[in-house]
Structures are given as C-alpha cells and as structure tokens.
Amino acid sequence: MTTNSLTTSQGAGRTGDKVFSGAALTAGCLILAVLFGVALFLVVQAIPAFVAPAADIQGGQGFAAYIWPIVLGTLIAALIALVIATPVAIGVALFISHYAPRRLASGLGYVIDLLAAIPSVVYGAWGAAFLAKEIAPGYDWLANNLGWLPIFQGPASATGKTILTAGVVLSVMVLPIITSLSREIFLQTPKLHEEAALALGATRWEMIKMAVLPFGRPGIISAVMLGLGRALGETMAVALVLSSGVLTASLIQSGNQTIAAEIALNFPEASGLKVNTLIAAGLVLFVITLAVNMVARWIITKHKEFSGAN
C-alpha cells in the first residue's frame, strides 16, 4: 500500500469516527432534551392542581388525599407482579442457559421473546374474560381460610377483578422481559469461572450459585427494574382487569386503583382542573419511575465488581 493511499484511508477513518461521535452525542443530547421537555410540560400543567383549593380536587380533600391511594395501588400491583415474576423468570432463564438441550433452549427462548410482543390490551382481555372468573373461587378459599390476614380479608370479589388479579396479569407481562435479559446475562458468564467451579467438585447448581448468579446480579437487577418500569406504567391491562374503588388492604376485595389506569379511564371525559389533576398524577408517576431507575443504577454501581465489563 502506497503512502498516499494509506493517508487517504486514515483520513476516511478519522472522518467516520467524527461522524459517528457527533451522531452519538446528538442522540444523547436529544434524549435529554425530550426528557426535560416532558418533565417541564408535566410540571407546568400540574401546578394548577397543586395550588387549587382542596374542595375543587376530586374527593374534596386536596391533591395529596386524591393521589395517595392510587400511588399505593400502583406500587402494590407492581410489587405483586415482581414477587410472582422474578423467581419464575430467573428459573426459566437458568433452565434455558444451563440445563435445557440446545434445540429446546433456542425454541423456548424464541417463545419467551414472542410473549413480549403481545399487546397489553390482549393480556388485559385475557385477564378480564378468563383469568378473573377462574381465579375467583380461589379468592373465596383464601377469605375462608386465611381471612385473618389483612391482605386476604373477605368478602372476596365475586367477579375476581381485584388488585391481586391485576398483579398476576402484570407478572405475565413482565415475565418475558426479565427472562430474556437474565438469560443473556447468564450466557455471558465466563466459561473459566464455570469450569473452575466444576473442576473443584461443585455440582451444577453449586456452580450456578457460586459463578453464574454473582456474575449476573447487576443484570438481574437491571432486568427486574425494567420489568418494574413496565408494571408501574401499564394502563390498558390494569384498566380492563381491575374493578377500581377505594383503597383497601385486602388484595381479594374489589377496590384500589393505579395511576396509569386512573388517567386512561378519566382523561377522555376530563376538562378544566380535572385535566390538570390527571397530568399531576402523571407527574407523580414520572417521579416514581425516575426514582426507581436511580435506585437501580445505584445498586448496580455498588456491585459493579461483578459486572461483565470487569
């Protein structure tokens, strides 16, 4: 290769690097600008609800009294979803990555990925038309046998459309997200770590416990938090499954509501201050989601010595 051609190739490479660097910087700045614009819009539109007289807000007791029950309902539904989905997702991911034969693993992985593509309204219709009816007798059993616990206190809902049913539907929705990400993390575990554990006499489960799970811990946290983000913001599935009502500690009674479902059900007919109130509720959900992501980032950074990059 001549000197001129080498110089031309190096110049083209530097130009490509500059173009890519500029495009990446522009994309990053654009994301921050959009996020700032959304936050600014929510704050400006929510101010009238924050400063309005308490009697003008739905319920007549002010915005704090209005938003607190649906914030709790949102967190309860998301927590139920994670409690159900996380162990199942991790178990499926470990089976696909370390136990299943290669052909079966690839097929299961494809099916799990397909579950993530199903629209939320389909999950909601399934939950309202099938799951709620089938699970209602189980709620009667819980009320009769475990009713001394506040979360299972009766009378149980006859329709089955409760916050627990909504949490079950949400768990099915977040399951493919957590499973797919966890599976990819587990597959990236250094083979030397796995082989060293097996060479020392560890069983397959002991190897997973000593090598795979510590390595994948930041990835599992990221996957769970991503699933939590979807559970917090899910709208149509919860709106179809949940019979909204006042806040109650029982998971099997009719009642409770989430922020996203509250906005979806009331926004089309809202006007005036009611619109500002719903936007203020959206701002609260925005802050909750941002706080969850910040906590997740802090946890991942705290355990960065286990990350794949290190």
Side-chain angles (χ1 to χ4, degrees):
M1 181 179 293
T2 63
T3 302
N4 290 336
S5 61
L6 181 61
T7 303
T8 302
S9 176
Q10 292 176 345
R14 286 194 294 268
T15 301
D17 289 341
K18 291 180 180 179
V19 171
F20 179 79
S21 176
L25 179 61
T26 301
C29 293
L30 181 61
I31 292 174
L32 293 177
V34 171
L35 184 63
F36 175 78
V38 171
L40 181 63
F41 168 80
L42 292 174
V43 170
V44 171
Q45 294 295 321
I47 289 177
F50 293 150
V51 301
D56 294 341
I57 303 296
Q58 180 177 331
Q61 297 181 354
F63 181 76
Y66 163 76
I67 196 64
W68 181 245
I70 58 178
V71 167
L72 284 180
T74 302
L75 297 177
I76 291 171
L79 181 61
I80 293 172
L82 291 187
V83 168
I84 297 174
T86 300
V88 176
I90 294 175
V92 173
L94 286 174
F95 176 75
I96 293 175
S97 60
H98 286 83
Y99 285 93
R102 184 174 299 274
R103 288 186 177 181
L104 179 60
S106 61
L108 283 177
Y110 180 71
V111 171
I112 293 296
D113 293 338
L114 281 180
L115 288 176
I118 298 177
S120 60
V121 67
V122 176
Y123 284 109
W126 167 74
F130 175 78
L131 180 62
K133 296 179 181 178
E134 297 298 324
I135 207 170
Y139 291 162
D140 290 330
W141 184 91
L142 290 174
N144 294 330
N145 294 274
L146 298 176
W148 52 274
L149 292 174
I151 60 174
F152 297 133
Q153 186 176 6
S157 171
T159 63
K161 294 184 176 181
T162 66
I163 193 71
L164 182 55
T165 305
V168 173
V169 173
L170 288 177
S171 70
V172 177
M173 295 179 66
V174 304
L175 181 65
I177 298 175
I178 302 176
T179 301
S180 297
L181 293 178
S182 299
R183 177 194 65 201
E184 296 302 321
I185 292 296
F186 295 155
L187 289 173
Q188 294 177 19
T189 305
K191 293 300 180 183
L192 288 177
H193 294 185
E194 298 181 2
E195 293 172 356
L198 294 173
L200 291 174
T203 64
R204 182 175 297 185
W205 164 241
E206 289 172 337
M207 177 271 293
I208 290 173
K209 185 169 62 174
M210 291 187 298
V212 178
L213 293 180
F215 174 84
R217 179 163 50 186
I220 294 173
I221 296 173
S222 299
V224 171
M225 291 303 167
L226 186 60
L228 177 60
R230 179 169 189 185
L232 288 173
E234 182 51 48
T235 304
M236 290 310 300
V238 177
L240 290 172
V241 171
L242 183 61
S243 294
S244 60
V246 297
L247 179 66
T248 175
S250 177
L251 304 180
I252 60 176
Q253 293 181 11
S254 297
N256 295 313
Q257 182 62 297
T258 66
I259 296 177
E262 174 78 6
I263 296 173
L265 292 174
N266 293 284
F267 201 86
E269 299 178 356
S271 61
L273 184 61
K274 180 63 176 178
V275 175
N276 300 109
T277 303
L278 293 176
I279 293 178
L283 176 62
V284 173
L285 181 59
F286 180 86
V287 172
I288 292 174
T289 305
L290 183 63
V292 167
N293 288 326
M294 291 177 65
V295 171
R297 178 54 55 188
W298 175 77
I299 295 174
I300 293 171
T301 303
K302 185 178 179 181
H303 298 92
K304 64 182 179 181
E305 67 271 15
F306 295 103
S307 69
N310 296 317

